[in-house]
Amino acid sequence: MFILNANDKAPLYRQLYNQIREQVLSGKLPAHAKLPSVRDLATELETSRNTVEGAYQELFAEGYIYSRQRSGYFVSAIDQPVAPVSRLTAARKPHRPSASEPIFRFDFHPARLDPAGFPLAQWRSCLLETLRESPAELSHYGGFQGDGELRCNIQRYLERSRGVMCDPERIFVCAGLQQSLDLVAHLLREGHSTLAVENPGYHLSRAVFQNNGFEVVPVEVGPGGMDLEALRASRSGIAYVTPSHQMPLGQVMPIANRLNLIEWAQSGGNVIIEDDYDSELRYHGKPIPSLQGLRPDADIIYLGTFSKVFSPALRLSYMVLPNSLLAGFHALYRDYFPTVSLLEQKAMARFMAEGHWDRHIRRMRIVYQKKHDTMLKAIEQHFGARATVIGAGAGLHMVLELRESSRGESAIISEAAACGTYLFPFSATCAGGAPDTTRLMLGFGGMTAADIGEGIRLLAEVCLNVEEKCPREQGQK
Ligand SMILES: Cc1ncc(COP(=O)(O)O)c(C=O)c1O
């Protein structure tokens, strides 16, 4: 009736448990049927009584069987259908992409990082050292605001490299932009109902505020950043901006406009959300100092992340609140637990304290600058005067504006996909849908230099309507 396999990784009692459970659920063992005694079944299966006893005890504890005094175990009556074990086990099998989930040979997604760039050895040693030195720390949740040492290290880093002025009490460790904005949206909901966002701009910020019941007003961005006249006309009380590297167009908001924007906030009781997402990656000249650093006492919420240089998988970011919002923030979230693993926060604190963070940034700047330059060269070679690059010189992507293409974004994206090439739609960053001219977002972070060259060549063929497109067998991985 039951088969135990000594070579199976699952313990014998668990194998027996699974088989009995499956038969109970499938009805093969009917309700109230008597199970063999522990001794009889152990003899029949040539196994120990402990194995059978262990299986019965677990089935009993979970209610699949019941016992009657001096009569043994019986099958419980179960009316509701339950997923059989075999299906649960199947669900636990490792996920492999199916044919309908394409794997792209050339992935131009703007948020991909260099797969070989992660500082594995240093990070592993920081994690292990943290475990070794502070095992007791791992027996509690940690504070909602984030690990104190990490906040101190972030504060020093921000002051040194971004000109952000604050004390660690104003810093909150978060699990990415989405969470920071969710917290901020709840906090600001009482006094505000409208948010101005850059157009084009980061689509996620729009979505988070919309999901929190805000009216989101797109405001055009030009070379000077967000159009301040349009911002005033929007009557929004909050402006979300990316002033040091506009997402997606890459401009830097000039100092005069920064000061005007701050003036807008200070004179009108308004709030600025400054998203400084990839400020570490500037390839020519000095990094652009933050807006927050110009007026540390203004109502500017500053957001930064470890996703662009370190790893987006870690979900580790930070937010600096203005003094005016601190008390309200603490009151609203005083019962909340942290959402970022304390182990990883402590490991990051160590990673920064030991100088790995600064060294890693310097290393990655060189890695990404090479990829950036390779992409520019390949665009020049394959598109020539038929396209213009917008927003080069920083970050992990650039935008390509096509001059002579008769094709729209969606045709290019689908044909590129058929050639094994992924493009993130630029139109997703536009509040009003696709712009008149075709623009392509070209991320280079996750690709090798060779793939950047080959991918751009292929893309030029797709965009410029060259007859012989990708040879499928080469294009698809
Ligand atoms: C403008 C902008 N802000 C923030 C982020 C991501 O931040 P996080 O990974 O911390 O959520 C991105 C990611 O691409 C981004 O483009």
Side-chain angles (χ1 to χ4, degrees):
M1 187 162 70
F2 306 112
I3 298 163
L4 301 184
N5 179 359
N7 296 323
D8 196 309
K9 266 199 243 136
L12 294 177
Y13 89 92
R14 192 71 199 176
Q15 294 179 34
L16 184 59
Y17 159 91
N18 283 341
Q19 291 174 41
I20 297 176
R21 179 181 183 270
E22 194 132 356
Q23 293 198 14
V24 169
L25 293 175
S26 66
K28 213 161 164 187
L29 276 171
H32 311 298
K34 186 174 184 326
L35 292 177
S37 72
V38 171
R39 188 203 309 204
D40 287 354
L41 190 53
T43 311
E44 185 188 321
L45 296 175
E46 296 180 349
T47 187
S48 74
R49 284 195 212 171
N50 279 348
T51 298
V52 180
E53 190 67 49
Y56 279 7
Q57 297 251 321
E58 200 146 321
L59 290 160
F60 177 73
E62 292 176 22
Y64 291 102
I65 61 176
Y66 63 94
S67 74
R68 264 195 229 134
Q69 239 182 7
R70 282 192 294 276
S71 305
Y73 289 104
F74 297 82
V75 175
S76 303
I78 297 168
D79 299 332
Q80 302 298 328
V82 179
V85 171
S86 52
R87 252 194 272 149
L88 291 175
T89 317
R92 261 186 257 121
K93 280 192 183 142
H95 171 78
R96 296 202 202 311
S98 67
S100 61
E101 276 180 72
I103 297 172
F104 294 100
R105 161 107 198 261
F106 305 110
D107 185 354
F108 286 105
H109 194 292
R112 296 281 180 268
L113 266 58
D114 187 305
F118 187 78
L120 200 57
Q122 295 91 329
W123 182 244
R124 187 195 290 127
S125 113
C126 288
L127 277 173
L128 289 177
E129 279 304 306
T130 304
L131 278 173
R132 216 171 280 139
E133 271 189 16
S134 30
E137 296 273 17
L138 301 177
S139 62
H140 60 82
Y141 285 89
F144 174 61
Q145 190 162 354
D147 178 66
E149 196 190 334
L150 176 59
R151 287 187 289 113
C152 287
N153 293 349
I154 291 174
Q155 183 270 323
R156 282 192 282 269
Y157 162 69
L158 287 180
E159 185 174 330
R160 188 172 71 237
S161 70
R162 307 295 306 122
V164 171
M165 303 305 293
C166 67
D167 61 49
E169 293 316 305
R170 286 169 60 182
I171 298 180
F172 293 78
V173 176
C174 294
L177 176 98
Q178 198 177 306
Q179 193 218 358
S180 319
L181 290 185
D182 250 324
L183 296 171
V184 166
H186 273 278
L187 181 67
L188 297 180
R189 217 156 46 174
E190 223 167 77
H192 300 269
S193 58
T194 310
L195 168 88
V197 294
E198 298 168 329
N199 189 28
Y202 191 40
H203 60 299
L204 188 61
S205 318
R206 285 201 307 264
V208 172
F209 273 84
Q210 262 157 2
N211 289 344
N212 278 283
F214 276 76
E215 184 194 343
V216 174
V217 186
V219 174
E220 293 305 305
V221 274
M226 186 178 257
D227 178 338
L228 291 179
E229 281 314 308
L231 170 62
R232 284 196 185 92
S234 77
R235 306 211 160 276
S236 305
I238 315 169
Y240 164 85
V241 289
T242 48
S244 298
H245 186 223
Q246 203 275 330
M247 174 68 181
L249 295 177
Q251 299 103 337
V252 177
M253 189 185 242
I255 182 71
N257 291 7
R258 288 176 180 237
L259 292 171
N260 286 338
L261 181 63
I262 294 174
E263 217 286 305
W264 165 84
Q266 288 193 305
S267 61
N270 300 316
V271 180
I272 299 168
I273 302 175
E274 175 181 15
D275 182 0
D276 202 23
Y277 63 109
D278 66 356
S279 51
E280 292 88 6
L281 301 173
R282 182 150 287 281
Y283 307 123
H284 305 287
K286 285 195 164 186
I288 314 294
S290 69
L291 195 71
Q292 196 272 3
L294 292 171
R295 291 274 191 287
D297 54 342
D299 281 350
I300 300 172
I301 298 170
Y302 175 90
L303 306 176
T305 182
F306 289 95
S307 293
K308 294 294 163 184
V309 174
F310 192 70
S311 165
L314 203 62
R315 307 316 297 132
L316 189 56
S317 70
Y318 44 86
M319 163 166 74
V320 180
L321 284 184
N323 280 321
S324 61
L325 294 179
L326 275 184
F329 196 87
H330 281 297
L332 192 57
Y333 299 116
R334 71 173 165 250
D335 295 330
Y336 278 39
F337 289 121
T339 50
V340 184
S341 144
L342 185 56
L343 171 63
E344 282 163 2
Q345 289 190 56
K346 288 194 158 294
M348 181 51 86
R350 182 180 289 271
F351 190 81
M352 295 178 96
E354 292 182 359
H356 298 309
W357 173 240
D358 288 334
R359 279 192 291 278
H360 179 64
I361 292 176
R362 287 198 291 275
R363 191 163 69 84
M364 295 322 291
R365 213 178 270 141
I366 294 169
V367 167
Y368 290 127
Q369 172 157 15
K370 279 192 186 141
K371 295 183 187 221
H372 164 273
D373 294 351
T374 304
M375 180 171 271
L376 275 183
K377 224 187 260 169
I379 290 174
E380 172 64 33
Q381 183 184 348
H382 297 294
F383 283 87
R386 287 167 294 185
T388 309
V389 173
I390 303 174
L396 294 171
H397 79 278
M398 54 189 79
V399 171
L400 195 65
E401 186 168 271
L402 301 183
R403 292 226 182 109
E404 283 170 17
S405 176
S406 56
R407 329 188 107 192
E409 178 189 87
S410 58
I412 291 176
I413 288 181
S414 22
E415 192 163 329
C419 298
T421 303
Y422 177 79
L423 288 172
F424 179 86
F426 180 86
S427 58
T429 68
C430 304
D436 295 341
T437 47
T438 304
R439 289 174 169 181
L440 306 177
M441 296 266 274
L442 297 180
F444 48 80
M447 295 168 78
T448 62
D451 279 352
I452 291 172
E454 180 59 12
I456 293 290
R457 183 197 64 74
L458 202 141
L459 211 53
E461 292 180 354
V462 169
C463 294
L464 304 175
N465 250 331
V466 174
E467 267 316 300
E468 194 210 320
K469 306 263 164 41
C470 56
R472 295 279 148 97
E473 62 286 359
Q474 277 178 25
Q476 210 100 38
K477 200 180 187 182

